[in-house]
């Protein structure tokens, strides 16, 4: 392992987010438009962009990567879900999320996140009686 890789690993492991150990940053764009099941998620302050908040998360079935994204819409959604999970003593593995790229009226691109409780039927499906 090169010195550059060792420095990168040491800094990542020092972040306090244990679920990042042994993972490298994945390409967030590959998640757009498909539902993924989360393993872990955390909201962190960026070292760039004047300390703006970002979401760092891992996806079930992908043990090699973690993903990072920002933007108020996505971060606020993750905050809301975090509060609900904490109140009910649940983990991220019951949450599915679909990320989308949309454009504002001004033509500015941003991301949205649509969350789903995986214990409930998918939207449009009937609940079992």
């Amino acid at each position: 392992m090169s010195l550059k890789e060792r420095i990168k690993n040491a800094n990542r492991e020092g972040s306090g987010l244990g679920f990042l150990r042994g993972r490298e940053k994945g390409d967030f764009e590959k998640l757009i438009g498909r539902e993924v099941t989360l393993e872990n998620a955390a909201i962190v302050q960026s070292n760039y962009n004047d300390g703006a908040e970002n979401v760092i998360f891992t996806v079930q079935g992908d043990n090699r990567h973690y993903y990072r994204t920002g933007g108020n819409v996505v971060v606020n959604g993750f905050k809301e879900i975090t509060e609900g999970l904490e109140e009910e003593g649940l983990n991220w593995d019951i949450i599915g999320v679909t990320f989308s790229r949309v454009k504002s009226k001004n033509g500015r691109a941003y991301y949205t996140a649509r969350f789903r409780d995986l214990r409930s039927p998918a939207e449009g499906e009937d609940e079992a009686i």
Side-chain angles (χ1 to χ4, degrees), residues 33-61:
R34 65 182 180 101
E35 184 178 67
V36 294
T37 303
L38 301 177
E39 283 183 337
N40 292 291
I43 298 167
V44 298
Q45 286 201 311
S46 174
N47 293 332
Y48 310 101
N49 300 331
D50 295 324
E53 292 178 311
N54 284 235
V55 177
I56 296 179
F57 61 95
T58 56
V59 172
Q60 283 187 7

Side-chain angles (χ1 to χ4, degrees), residues 46-95:
S46 174
N47 293 332
Y48 310 101
N49 300 331
D50 295 324
E53 292 178 311
N54 284 235
V55 177
I56 296 179
F57 61 95
T58 56
V59 172
Q60 283 187 7
D62 183 356
N63 296 325
R64 292 182 34 175
H65 301 102
Y66 70 90
Y67 298 89
R68 180 181 197 122
T69 189
N72 290 336
V73 173
V74 173
V75 170
N76 289 339
F78 269 81
K79 283 181 177 179
E80 186 74 24
I81 301 302
T82 298
E83 288 178 26
L85 291 172
E86 288 174 356
E87 285 175 8
E88 296 187 33
L90 299 170
N91 295 316
W92 280 102
D93 62 352
I94 65 158
I95 301 297

